[in-house]
Amino acid sequence: MHNAASYPLFKTRAVQLRLEGKTYSEILEAVPVARSTLSLWLRGTSLAEPQKQRYTEKKRLAALRGGQKRKQDRIDITKTIFEKCRSDISMITTRELWLIGISLYWAEGSKQKEYNPGSGTYFSNTDLRMLQVFVAWLERCVGIQSEDISYDLFLHETARKKLLEVETYWRSGLNITRDQQFSVYWKRTQIRTSRRNIGDLYYGCLRVKVRASSSLNRALAGWADAITGAVCCHEI
């Protein structure tokens, strides 16, 4: 507990530090009083312009540090969740992969239409990981050979200068050989500025095509229908 006689000295010191442009937190480190007391003492104390600028800059930097800290906290939390989730799925059985592939195609693949009942099996996405899983499904669960798989890459004109980089990205990520068909199509529409995957992050959209695959497309439609029946008509 502090002697009441020392309070005038504390107040004088607090006002002096405030006039120097110190923040409340900085003053409280040098003047051991309650924040409410400090606020009362400094209520009528105005900062000179240089001190105001210094104070404003310190607040800006403090806010920036706070934002960076919150961002790092989110990164750390995400990393912890990812590590836990990886341990939840240590391996995938062939049947599980089979069901995953059907679900992926159900969501992102081309569908049979009444007016076009013989359409083939086409799967398009911008996510390399999703395409890796789908190609693995084709080869491991359906028995499709790599020579029966071809690829179409759709890119905006803005990516012409990085075509080699983009092609390498997809070929290496999906183990696409030079013998497999790999066609590039240029999109002339203007890229939306609201998209995040632009610039260095932009690798276009890749479409996987399976040769002579209308029967597979029909089977996928049947499997999707069977999943609906199994989930909706029975308790899981």
Side-chain angles (χ1 to χ4, degrees):
M1 182 176 295
H2 301 288
N3 191 314
S6 62
Y7 270 64
L9 296 176
F10 286 164
K11 180 177 181 180
T12 300
R13 178 60 175 159
V15 171
Q16 178 186 351
L17 292 172
R18 185 59 171 172
L19 291 174
E20 293 175 3
K22 300 293 185 181
T23 65
Y24 273 40
S25 296
E26 290 174 326
I27 296 172
L28 288 171
E29 291 179 1
V31 181
V33 296
R35 180 175 284 269
S36 58
T37 300
L38 182 65
S39 178
L40 182 64
W41 286 350
L42 301 180
R43 182 174 296 171
T45 304
S46 300
L47 298 175
E49 192 60 33
Q51 281 73 29
K52 284 183 179 179
Q53 293 176 356
R54 176 180 178 273
Y55 177 68
T56 302
E57 178 65 9
K58 292 188 67 146
K59 284 188 67 176
R60 186 187 72 82
L61 293 175
L64 180 61
R65 288 193 298 271
Q68 291 172 337
K69 176 64 167 56
R70 289 190 293 273
K71 179 180 180 181
Q72 186 59 50
D73 288 343
R74 291 195 296 270
I75 291 173
D76 293 340
I77 291 172
T78 301
K79 183 179 179 182
T80 299
I81 293 173
F82 267 51
E83 290 174 351
K84 180 183 182 303
C85 290
R86 287 192 187 99
S87 66
D88 289 339
I89 303 176
S90 57
M91 64 174 293
I92 297 290
T93 65
T94 301
R95 178 169 176 77
E96 288 169 341
L97 178 58
W98 179 60
L99 292 172
I100 289 171
I102 296 169
S103 300
L104 282 179
Y105 194 85
W106 192 3
E108 300 291 338
S110 61
K111 311 301 190 295
Q112 287 280 338
K113 306 293 184 182
E114 290 184 5
Y115 55 81
N116 187 19
S119 59
T121 302
Y122 306 145
F123 183 88
S124 304
N125 213 271
T126 60
D127 191 327
L128 173 60
R129 299 169 304 169
M130 189 179 292
L131 288 159
Q132 287 172 330
V133 172
F134 182 71
V135 172
W137 176 82
L138 286 174
E139 296 176 345
R140 300 179 194 176
C141 297
V142 190
I144 302 297
Q145 302 298 311
S146 60
E147 56 265 26
D148 291 324
I149 303 175
S150 61
Y151 301 86
D152 292 332
L153 175 62
F154 297 88
L155 278 175
H156 281 280
E157 290 280 355
T158 53
R160 277 193 180 273
K161 293 182 179 179
K162 57 181 293 187
L163 176 58
L164 180 59
E165 175 191 344
V166 172
E167 185 172 342
T168 301
Y169 171 82
W170 290 113
R171 283 188 178 276
S172 61
L174 293 167
N175 297 318
I176 303 172
T177 67
R178 289 293 169 184
D179 296 330
Q180 291 178 269
Q181 180 183 344
F182 189 98
S183 303
V184 179
Y185 298 92
W186 296 101
K187 300 169 70 174
R188 301 188 182 279
T189 54
Q190 186 174 0
I191 191 169
R192 295 196 303 272
T193 56
S194 60
R195 292 179 53 162
R196 300 298 297 271
N197 60 333
I198 59 176
D200 293 340
L201 299 177
Y202 178 64
Y203 292 97
C205 180
L206 194 71
R207 180 172 66 188
V208 178
K209 299 191 301 183
V210 181
R211 184 178 295 125
S213 56
S214 57
S215 294
L216 175 58
N217 201 330
R218 295 187 186 103
L220 280 158
W223 290 330
D225 189 64
I227 289 175
T228 303
V231 171
C232 297
C233 298
H234 303 282
E235 292 186 2
I236 300 177

